[in-house]
């Protein structure tokens, strides 16, 4: 129910026996509901990215490993989600792209400024394709908690 004393807050209410009467217990569930809403929004965004086929989301921990790999990343890379769970992010890229991407990730962690970087990604053992990667710092409170990444496949346009 909506809180009467604190506008914008939601309460979970329970009535339990207490001595000869009953007690009313109210618990603020606003943050829990907002977290569920945010998680649902993230899932929906990832599903939207997966159907675009040339876009994906990823979460990179402070050690450079993927955290909770997404279906869109599995679709973009052609690697099963289970296999992505123990992979360093830069290993998804061609060797020649790894240093630039690793440096961009470290820079985002160091100064908190979002960055974009170009890279080459192997595709199903049939060559490579150019991608753009957007990186942004995730925080837990004031402390860095990881890096959010959006990967977009670049179209290669043939010259006339």
């Amino acid at each position: 129910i909506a809180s009467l004393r604190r506008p914008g807050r939601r309460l979970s209410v329970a009535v339990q026996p207490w001595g000869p009467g009953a007690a009313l217990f109210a618990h603020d569930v606003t943050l829990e509901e907002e977290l569920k809403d945010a998680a649902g929004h993230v899932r929906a965004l990832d599903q939207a990215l997966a159907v675009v086929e040339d876009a994906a989301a990823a979460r990179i921990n402070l050690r450079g490993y993927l955290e909770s790999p997404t279906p869109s990343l599995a679709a973009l890379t052609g690697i099963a989600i289970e296999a992505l769970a123990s992979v360093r992010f830069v290993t998804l890229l061609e060797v020649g792209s790894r240093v630039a991407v690793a440096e961009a990730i470290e820079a985002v962690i160091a100064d908190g400024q979002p960055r974009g970087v170009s890279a080459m990604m192997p595709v199903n053992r049939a060559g490579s394709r150019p991608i753009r990667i957007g990186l942004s710092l995730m925080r837990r409170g004031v402390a860095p908690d990881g890096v959010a990444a959006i990967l977009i496949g670049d179209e290669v346009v043939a010259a006339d």
Side-chain angles (χ1 to χ4, degrees), residues 48-150:
L49 285 171
V51 297
V52 171
E53 296 179 5
D54 284 342
R59 178 183 169 123
I60 306 162
N61 70 22
L62 295 175
R63 292 181 187 91
Y65 286 87
L66 289 169
E67 264 186 22
S68 304
T70 60
S72 65
L73 186 61
L76 182 67
T77 63
I79 301 171
I81 289 177
E82 298 79 22
L84 289 171
S86 60
V87 170
R88 287 184 61 86
F89 177 75
V90 295
T91 62
L92 299 176
L93 309 171
E94 279 191 354
V95 172
S97 297
R98 293 178 184 176
V99 171
V101 173
E103 287 175 350
I105 291 169
E106 290 300 320
V108 167
I109 293 169
D111 67 16
Q113 296 301 309
R115 286 178 173 68
V117 62
S118 295
M120 295 296 290
M121 176 179 280
V123 179
N124 296 330
R125 306 187 203 290
S128 296
R129 66 180 297 184
I131 62 167
R132 289 280 303 149
I133 305 169
L135 303 165
S136 181
L137 185 65
M138 296 183 312
R139 296 180 186 273
R140 178 165 288 160
V142 296
D145 189 43
V147 174
I150 295 292

